[in-house]
Each structure stands twice: as C-alpha cells, then as structure tokens.
Amino acid sequence: MKVLVTGGAGYIGSHTTVELIGAGHEVVIVDNLVNADMTCVEGACRICGADIPFEQADCCDAGAMDALFEKYRFDAVIHFAALKAVGESVSKPLEYYRNNLDSLMTVLETMRRHGTPNIVFSSSCTVYGQADRLPVTEQTPRREGSSPYGKSKQMCENILSDTIAAYGDLTAIALRYFNPIGAHPSALIGELPRGTPNNLLPFITQTAAGIREQLSIFGDDYDTPDGTNLRDYIDVVDLAQAHVAALERMFGGRSSEPFEVFNVGTGRAVSVLELVRRFEIVNGVKLNYRIVGRRAGDIVAVWADTARANRELGWTAQRSLDDTLASAWRWEKAVRGM
Ligand code: NAD
Ligand code: UD1
C-alpha cells in the first residue's frame, strides 16, 4: 500500500518509515523540517537501500497537501507531524495549537477530498495525566492536559473522533505512545534533539558523551519504590512496528470501530534511577548525576496495560531494555563521531 508519513524526517517517523518499507509498503515522507534535518531521511534510505520520496512541505498548507495527494494517491496516512516540546508549548501556546490542530485538520480534509480512507495518529500517554489506577488501560479516563502540548493531543483525538463519527468515509487509529527511547540498531537513524534535551534518555546519552556536565534527576522523594518517577520506556523500533500493525488492521478491514485507540508501551514500569543504572551497566560508562528537586508538571507514575494492543493488533514490544539502552548509546556515539 502507498502510505504518506507526515513528520517522517523526525525521530519516530523515520523509524516507522523503515519498518513500513521492510513490510513491503511504499512510503512518501512529507516534512517541513521545523524540527529535523535530512539526517534521518538519508539514514532510512541507506537502511532500506531505497530512494524514499521526500517532499518538503507544511501539513498546514492545504494547497501543498492537495498537490501531494494528487501526485501520489495514498491508501493511508500516518500523521506524526507536530511540535512536541512540553515546556516550549507553555510559552508558545498559539504556535502549538495552530500547528498541531491545523496540520491534523488539513490532512483530514485533504484525505476526504482525495478519498484516502485510513489514518494512524500519534497520540501520547500524556492524555491520562496522573491516573488513579495503574497500569492505565484505554478506558482509563483522560485528565485535563497539563500543557498546551498535552491538551493539543487530547483535542486531536477529539477532532478525529468527531470527524469519523460525522462522515462515513474514514477509519482512524490513535496510538498512545508511552516513553519512546533508543535508536535503530544500525545507528543510522535516531533521536536528534535540538539544543538542551528535555527528555531523559537523550540527556543521559549526551552526559555520557561529555556534551552535558551532569544529569539532574528530578526528585527522589516520590511515593515509588526508590523515590524516583516510574515510566514505561518503549523501544522506538517496537513502537514503529506498532504502526505497521495498526495500518494492516485497517487495510484488512479488521477494525472493530472506525476510530480505535491503543496503548503502545511495554507494560513495565521503570524508575529513573533504574534506567540510569542499567545504562551504566549495559554500556560500561559512568554517569555524573545528582538528585535535584522535582520538575514542575511531572507525574509520579504511569505505565501501560497493553492487553488491547497485544490482542487486537497482534503486536507486543519485543526488545529488552538493555538492548534499547545499548542502541541509544551506539547512536549518540555515531552522531558525535566517537
Ligand atoms: P520529531 O520532532 O522528531 O518529529 C516530528 C516531525 O514533524 C519533525 O521532523 C518536524 O519537522 C515535523 N513537523 C512538525 N510540524 C510539521 C508541519 N506542520 N508540517 C510538516 N512537518 C512538520 O518528533 P517525534 O518524537 O518523532 O514525534 C512524532 C509524533 O509523536 C509527534 O506527533 C509527537 O507529538 C508524538 N509523540 C512523541 C513522543 C516522544 O516522546 N517522542 C511521545 C508521545 C507522542
Ligand atoms: C514528557 C512529557 C510528555 C511527553 C513525553 C514524551 C512532561 C510533563 N511530560 O514525559 O507529555 O509525551 O515527555 O515527549 O513533560 N527526568 C530527569 N532528568 C532529566 C529529564 C527527565 O530526572 O533531565 C525524569 C523526569 O522527571 C521523568 C522521567 O525522567 O520522571 C522521564 O522524563 P521525560 O523523558 O521528560 O518524559 P516524561 O516526563 O515522562
């Protein structure tokens, strides 16, 4: 099938492109490069031994999207394109709402005009906030997002749900990612954060590489076994494969509802300290870290109940945390020429 991957020059989109091509699909990438360069597109081309079509355009540009859909006639869209920095979204809410909502709505309108029936959307476990009961299932009530970024993901899920209910011509799957980490085993593609990383693993790898002096661990006085936050860290290749499974469910007409939601995690809770220690052991490096105060807005713990994705998508996270931490370090070293 022919698949448009929006935001395909980015971290998760480039890994998904590789898995789609590996599964026999044709991919066209569209990206405006607001948060990427061509490194991962070129890396994906090398991994696949293919010249993957790349179009530089903004998904909010209806004219550009029309031209793209006219040129390629897609069977499906995987919509990754969004701005994703939680802190920045607090200081630039209009940019985040404009980009994240407008890009989805423009893509949906274009799909309807061109008769493209299937979309997979990048959602996030951020829609759950701090749940009362863990692990979270897809039925766990969503909590009001704590940032414009989080709220934009909730709004996008609502836009999808309302659009699909109103018109009978679309099928959608929203995947709620937990914490994606790691890189392709080839070390040809991976996460390329701009400036100081916000997320834990890029901060760890940059500290190990000597780019950052010290890792700050945000709080060890939470009500968890070692006092640090618990998260569900999922390997980015496993996550990419969940997109292939979701698409193939739609292509096979196996969706039980026109709009479905799936948690994509491992089902395993890992603490910040545990992640840091595993990283040191697996990669044989020493990390300079210290415990500092809590970070505003952090939730104590969240991890996924993945039963629905396991059962309905026939998908389960395969990679071990150790392999994932090794891939993250290999990628950092490749980027730094180490
Ligand atoms: P990323 O920034 O690496 O990739 C997003 C890509 O979209 C970038 O290459 C960027 O240039 C592009 N883009 C943004 N706005 C665009 C627009 N209007 N038109 C065209 N291209 C545009 O981010 P990622 O980590 O790969 O995330 C992909 C998706 O997954 C995002 O929707 C993100 O919100 C979601 N998500 C990410 C995480 C995570 O931890 N990385 C967790 C949950 C959900
Ligand atoms: C954050 C976002 C979430 C988003 C996700 C993926 C918030 C509140 N949530 O989740 O909406 O979907 O990123 O982009 O920002 N940590 C440290 N030191 C660091 C960095 C992180 O101790 O330098 C800790 C954090 O306190 C947290 C854990 O590491 O406990 C993971 O943090 P992070 O990678 O930023 O992801 P989340 O906060 O889970």
Side-chain angles (χ1 to χ4, degrees):
M1 296 287 182
K2 196 176 285 183
V3 185
L4 176 64
V5 176
T6 78
Y11 174 44
I12 306 169
S14 57
H15 287 80
T16 301
T17 294
V18 167
E19 297 306 313
L20 285 167
I21 291 173
H25 299 290
E26 269 179 73
V27 174
V28 176
I29 292 174
V30 62
D31 201 300
N32 64 359
L33 302 183
V34 67
N35 194 40
D37 54 28
M38 291 299 282
T39 306
C40 289
V41 176
E42 287 158 8
C45 290
R46 280 186 63 193
I47 294 167
C48 298
D51 197 8
I52 303 162
F54 172 83
E55 303 274 352
Q56 186 169 349
D58 191 323
C59 294
C60 303
D61 180 342
M65 289 302 106
D66 252 331
L68 201 62
F69 277 66
E70 189 59 45
K71 181 170 169 189
Y72 292 102
R73 310 221 158 261
F74 301 109
D75 299 297
V77 177
I78 306 187
H79 186 54
F80 293 103
L83 298 174
K84 64 162 185 176
V86 176
E88 187 185 59
S89 78
V90 175
S91 55
K92 297 179 175 172
L94 287 175
E95 284 182 28
Y96 272 68
Y97 287 126
R98 167 67 68 197
N99 190 62
N100 293 1
L101 305 185
D102 197 354
S103 63
L104 174 66
M105 292 190 290
T106 305
V107 164
L108 287 172
E109 284 170 348
T110 316
M111 288 174 67
R112 298 201 61 234
R113 270 198 300 280
H114 292 264
T116 303
N118 304 303
I119 180 165
V120 178
F121 175 71
S122 300
S123 190
S124 167
C125 68
T126 193
V127 302
Y128 296 115
Q130 183 57 67
D132 295 332
R133 291 180 59 184
L134 292 164
V136 291
T137 72
E138 291 80 356
Q139 280 73 47
T140 299
R142 299 185 318 178
R143 287 260 161 87
E144 169 85 357
S146 60
S147 68
Y149 167 75
K151 289 177 193 164
S152 80
K153 289 292 168 193
Q154 296 176 331
M155 290 175 190
C156 284
E157 286 192 357
N158 295 346
I159 289 168
L160 276 169
S161 159
D162 291 343
T163 303
I164 270 120
Y167 315 110
D169 51 1
L170 292 175
T171 305
I173 290 180
L175 299 180
R176 291 178 178 160
Y177 313 158
F178 283 68
N179 289 53
I181 59 169
H184 193 270
S186 65
L188 288 168
I189 55 175
E191 190 169 8
L192 276 176
R194 294 195 163 168
T196 310
N198 298 304
N199 295 115
L200 178 58
L201 200 62
F203 211 105
I204 289 177
T205 56
Q206 290 195 9
T207 307
I211 316 290
R212 311 274 153 208
E213 204 179 308
Q214 191 170 53
L215 166 74
S216 297
I217 293 183
F218 299 135
D220 68 348
D221 57 351
Y222 287 98
D223 184 15
T224 60
D226 66 16
T228 64
N229 291 152
L230 297 172
R231 296 288 185 271
D232 184 336
Y233 295 96
I234 173 151
D235 188 288
V236 68
V237 176
D238 279 328
L239 174 59
Q241 289 172 348
H243 293 78
V244 179
L247 265 194
E248 291 181 348
R249 178 175 174 83
M250 294 193 291
F251 290 150
R254 295 194 300 277
S255 296
S256 55
E257 307 277 342
F259 177 46
E260 296 182 311
V261 176
F262 294 97
N263 285 342
V264 186
T266 65
R268 179 169 172 227
V270 174
S271 79
V272 176
L273 269 176
E274 199 182 339
L275 197 81
V276 166
R277 292 193 179 128
R278 281 313 314 163
F279 184 89
E280 291 184 319
I281 292 166
V282 167
N283 295 312
V285 293
K286 200 82 200 106
L287 276 171
N288 179 22
Y289 69 85
R290 69 185 172 124
I291 310 288
V292 300
R294 295 179 176 194
R295 180 171 70 175
D298 268 341
I299 57 165
V300 182
V302 66
W303 68 96
D305 181 321
T306 62
R308 182 155 197 246
N310 303 156
R311 189 179 64 240
E312 306 286 328
L313 295 179
W315 168 92
T316 306
Q318 303 285 335
R319 286 151 185 84
S320 71
L321 183 62
D322 287 2
D323 286 349
T324 304
L325 294 174
S327 73
W329 182 226
R330 237 185 348 263
W331 165 246
E332 185 70 53
K333 285 191 292 183
V335 169
R336 309 289 164 198
M338 291 168 68

